[in-house]
Amino acid sequence: MPSHRDIAEMLFELANYMEIDGENPYRANAYRRAGQAVEHLKRPLEEIKEDLQSVAGIGKGTAAVIREIIETGESSLLNEYREKLPKGLMSLLELPGLGPKSVKTLYKKLNVTNVSELEQAIRRQQVRTLPGFGAKSEAKLLEAIQRAGTRPERLPLGHVRPVAEEVLTQIQSIPEVVQASLAGSIRRMEETVKDVDIVVATEQPDHVAREVASLPAVEEVVNRGTTKVSVLVAADWLVQVDVRIVTPEQYATALHHFTGSKEHNVRIRQIAKEKGWKVSEYGVEQLADGRTLTFDEETHFYNELGLPYIPPELRQGKGETEVGLEQGLPDLVAEKDIRGDLHVHSQWSDGHCTIREMAEAAKSKGYEYVAVTDHSRSLVIAGGLSVEDLMKQREEIDRVNRELDGITVLAGVEVDILPDGRLDYPDDVLEQLDVVIASVHSAFGQDERTMTKRILRAVENPYVHVIAHPTGRLLNRRDSYALNLPEIFKRAADTGTVLELNANPNRLDLNDRHLRQAVEDYGVTIAINTDAHRAEHLHLITYGVGTARRGWLTRHHILNTLTLDKLVKRLKGKNHGS
DNA sequence: GCCGTTTTCGGCCCGACTGTTTTCAGTCG
């Protein structure tokens, strides 16, 4: 029985083929919409099979296709297209800058059917001869091919960590494993990771090594010894997982060693050396008598060196040992400190869930409040709200608040900062909202002066509470826009404007370094928000909290650790210029 | 192909941007 997702994928593929084939684009889009409708169906397919046309976006034609897929696992229409057009055209469509029309032209005129044939055609300078193409588009496409073909050196933490946790769970279920933990950059919550490190304690290394090599998640075994097994698992790309196998006595020091960072470990060894000790993954060797100390847990290891426990997120070699020795480390913010999410979307704009669903999810996460902040009118693609819609939405928020106990939904908006720095709604509209988040979604290419002035104008608006994803970077995809951040930090602190740490793993914006600078040097307040577009995304707060901890933040630096009462007062405070 | 009605056709989120053109097609979000 195909899953909702399987059926949606087939409908999307159909839509893509239709577009390349020159079908009526609205017909193609109808299949795409039907795909989305199936993807978001909550009810089981078997149950809804006879009733498909009652679903918005599914009509007579698409219902027949879906029913055929449910019953046979295939679509004869899709099979016809697969027969008619080469499959490689689908991968061409993924290249940024190439749409269906261009793919069709490349196929019909040059018989290009896949990415490598396109690359050859570009190198022969054939593409520039086609109508609508030129030398510049050749260069852009070549760059896109090269970017797409090579795995990025590092992958976003949020893409790899779930896979790593799955592998860890599988390892922990091996009976002979005493203890196991993630280590390395994943444990330090670095925003991107190259590979996965896992430390495993056991009395039977040979057996565990064999078991690890044959775990269900493993796609390929790179090498297998008795102390280290390296395997490949599937995330966005194949990711290497290095599993280190040690004795239970060595576990704490091995975990410390393989957690790093390299810079942190260098400092630790220096400190040990001054005491006449030698630190390695196997323990702390006392050079005087050759005895090696081992520990139950990392805390005892640190204490032995005269240090407080240093959380993995701080182990960057950026002063954590010195500060730890001299004044102790800050009490870093933890996930349990977060009392609400101030940036989520609903079906009113480009979110997938109703306001009630988002509120219930927030409540079951233990939150006190959640702010619904849908897009403003300029962001048409994301279903930006007119002023009228915004007011209607307010009524729904009021209703949900009446219906639900134990969670408060705040009426908010994510208002666009237009290219000239004006906001997408007038002040008298913003004034009526509980939470106003402002952000840039257009004209990313402005020079530093223009962009800085543009954002400063939003910072200085008395009704703007939070600037969302302040630098606009997307990991592995888009750099930050040109921006004088210190100037923004300064004005934000002066005006009481909060800057966001967007917890989406593709953003993590502000990043750890910015956060530490903004808070330590300027006294800026930070809000950690998920920007959730569906209820499940609320859990992404984990990556925000991890990043905040890397930036040395405590709960006192963070807006949404406040209770609802204090939060509301703080938000009102800005309007009154205090 | 879907949908809604100003119901059985005609519109379908639409504006910015780019590189190609010489007034615009294609892509993107």
Side-chain angles (χ1 to χ4, degrees):
Chain A
M1 180 91 176
S3 70
H4 291 69
R5 180 81 211 160
D6 296 336
I7 297 175
E9 293 288 352
M10 290 171 88
L11 292 167
F12 295 150
E13 194 181 338
L14 264 170
N16 287 339
Y17 273 125
M18 286 175 182
E19 277 188 319
I20 295 173
D21 200 36
E23 248 296 356
N24 173 1
Y26 293 112
R27 182 175 181 229
N29 210 29
Y31 278 84
R32 196 163 284 129
R33 293 179 72 117
Q36 284 165 356
V38 172
E39 206 176 5
H40 296 138
L41 275 181
K42 294 225 174 82
R43 292 165 59 196
L45 293 165
E46 201 55 49
E47 188 185 314
I48 207 168
K49 201 172 89 181
E50 302 308 323
D51 200 20
L52 282 167
Q53 284 180 68
S54 67
V55 179
I58 299 176
K60 207 171 140 201
T62 48
V65 173
I66 295 167
R67 221 170 287 127
E68 185 190 356
I69 298 174
I70 294 176
E71 279 160 9
T72 69
E74 290 186 52
S75 155
S76 42
L77 184 60
L78 180 55
N79 289 341
E80 276 172 37
Y81 274 113
R82 283 176 173 165
E83 196 79 11
K84 185 176 172 187
L85 296 167
K87 182 122 177 108
L89 297 183
M90 290 298 116
S91 57
L92 285 175
L93 223 38
E94 313 240 308
L95 289 175
L98 269 195
K101 296 273 170 59
S102 314
V103 169
K104 185 182 182 186
T105 308
L106 288 165
Y107 173 54
K108 295 280 182 201
K109 304 262 183 183
L110 295 178
N111 202 29
V112 165
T113 64
N114 57 45
V115 176
S116 74
E117 285 172 11
L118 174 60
E119 186 173 357
Q120 287 169 29
I122 292 170
R123 296 203 186 278
R124 286 193 222 106
Q125 308 205 333
Q126 290 174 319
V127 173
R128 64 180 63 186
T129 65
L130 299 175
F133 291 87
K136 257 192 172 159
S137 33
E138 273 190 347
K140 281 206 150 183
L141 281 173
L142 194 56
E143 207 192 314
I145 290 170
Q146 281 156 356
R147 196 181 279 251
T150 54
R151 171 203 193 274
E153 175 75 359
R154 303 179 69 85
L155 299 170
L157 175 68
H159 297 212
V160 179
R161 189 163 172 119
V163 180
E165 282 173 346
E166 174 58 28
V167 175
L168 178 65
T169 305
Q170 290 177 9
I171 287 176
Q172 285 167 333
S173 70
I174 301 171
E176 291 77 10
V177 167
V178 179
Q179 261 192 105
S181 167
L182 298 178
S185 51
I186 283 206
R187 183 161 179 245
R188 300 198 308 274
M189 296 296 275
E190 275 201 33
E191 62 192 31
T192 59
V193 299
K194 199 162 116 264
D195 49 28
V196 176
D197 292 290
I198 295 178
V199 178
V200 177
T202 181
E203 303 279 9
Q204 299 182 47
D206 292 334
H207 174 75
V208 168
R210 269 197 305 277
E211 291 284 308
V212 167
S214 57
L215 290 175
V218 169
E219 302 274 340
E220 194 184 321
V221 178
V222 179
N223 51 47
R224 197 186 92 199
T226 52
T227 59
K228 178 180 165 185
V229 181
S230 295
V231 298
L232 298 180
V233 302
D236 292 0
W237 307 73
L238 283 182
V239 176
Q240 179 157 331
V241 180
D242 293 331
V243 181
R244 318 279 174 160
I245 304 171
V246 297
T247 66
E249 295 72 37
Q250 296 165 342
Y251 180 73
T253 44
L255 179 58
H256 177 267
H257 179 84
F258 290 112
T259 296
S261 65
K262 202 162 79 189
E263 295 75 16
H264 173 80
N265 286 355
V266 166
R267 279 298 296 139
I268 292 292
R269 286 186 223 115
Q270 283 169 352
I271 292 168
K273 200 173 173 189
E274 287 162 18
K275 297 180 187 285
W277 300 339
K278 195 180 84 174
V279 170
S280 76
E281 60 261 56
Y282 303 112
V284 178
E285 190 183 337
Q286 322 254 318
L287 291 177
D289 57 9
R291 270 194 320 133
T292 296
L293 297 180
T294 57
F295 305 90
D296 297 349
E297 44 185 293
E298 279 184 319
T299 307
H300 298 150
F301 164 73
Y302 277 112
N303 294 348
E304 188 70 25
L305 293 172
L307 286 162
Y309 175 74
I310 301 181
E313 295 92 335
L314 290 189
R315 301 181 196 170
Q316 303 171 43
K318 290 184 180 166
E320 67 277 6
T321 48
E322 290 78 0
V323 175
L325 276 171
E326 287 157 22
Q327 64 208 60
L329 294 168
D331 186 13
L332 300 181
V333 62
E335 216 169 308
K336 64 173 169 41
D337 297 325
I338 303 293
R339 293 177 190 264
D341 202 317
L342 297 174
H343 183 173
V344 313
H345 295 271
S346 76
Q347 284 176 355
W348 282 80
S349 66
D350 59 350
H352 291 260
C353 300
T354 63
I355 291 173
R356 191 184 165 115
E357 285 165 342
M358 295 307 285
E360 284 174 338
K363 183 183 172 182
S364 68
K365 225 173 143 28
Y367 285 164
E368 286 177 35
Y369 48 84
V370 58
V372 175
T373 54
D374 278 310
H375 289 287
S376 63
R377 55 194 175 187
S378 282
L379 212 59
V380 175
I381 174 67
L385 269 57
S386 66
V387 172
E388 254 185 8
D389 287 340
L390 199 59
M391 296 303 140
K392 274 189 234 155
Q393 188 192 39
R394 181 65 183 249
E395 290 169 19
E396 183 171 331
I397 288 172
D398 291 342
R399 192 170 66 247
V400 172
N401 275 326
R402 281 195 302 275
E403 289 168 4
L404 292 182
D405 283 333
I407 184 85
T408 298
V409 182
L410 299 169
V413 74
E414 180 177 9
V415 62
D416 253 52
I417 306 174
L418 303 173
D420 62 1
R422 281 181 306 122
L423 296 175
D424 199 17
Y425 295 125
D427 285 357
D428 62 337
V429 171
L430 300 180
E431 191 179 5
Q432 300 174 52
L433 295 157
D434 302 322
V435 185
V436 175
I437 290 187
S439 57
V440 167
H441 289 108
S442 60
F444 299 136
Q446 291 179 337
D447 62 62
E448 180 177 314
R449 231 184 99 66
T450 312
M451 185 60 90
T452 304
K453 269 179 69 180
R454 174 181 180 186
I455 294 179
L456 282 179
R457 209 171 144 185
V459 166
E460 281 161 12
N461 182 300
Y463 302 106
V464 169
H465 300 115
V466 181
I467 305 290
H469 41 77
T471 79
R473 67 104 173 243
L474 291 173
L475 282 167
N476 288 349
R477 294 213 296 266
R478 185 171 78 203
D479 288 337
S480 155
Y481 17 83
L483 203 56
N484 184 335
L485 266 180
E487 215 174 314
I488 307 249
F489 293 160
K490 184 167 186 316
R491 287 306 291 151
D494 289 349
T495 55
T497 308
V498 175
L499 299 184
E500 181 179 76
L501 158 49
N502 190 295
N504 185 295
N506 297 311
R507 290 193 182 270
L508 295 177
D509 177 9
L510 301 169
N511 69 25
D512 49 4
R513 292 185 321 280
H514 297 145
L515 290 166
R516 196 170 174 190
Q517 185 188 15
V519 168
E520 283 185 8
D521 299 351
Y522 296 89
V524 173
T525 300
I526 302 296
I528 309 178
N529 299 323
T530 60
D531 202 350
H533 282 67
R534 51 181 78 223
E536 308 90 272
H537 287 170
L538 287 179
H539 82 271
L540 296 176
I541 196 77
T542 304
Y543 300 107
V545 171
T547 302
R549 290 168 63 87
R550 288 180 57 83
W552 292 61
L553 268 54
T554 72
R555 65 178 192 280
H556 305 294
H557 300 125
I558 293 162
L559 180 69
N560 46 327
T561 60
L562 294 178
T563 60
L564 178 62
D565 282 355
K566 288 188 177 161
L567 174 80
V568 170
K569 262 183 217 143
R570 170 73 167 74
L571 293 174
K572 284 200 176 126
K574 163 135 188 191
N575 307 4
H576 303 136
S578 61

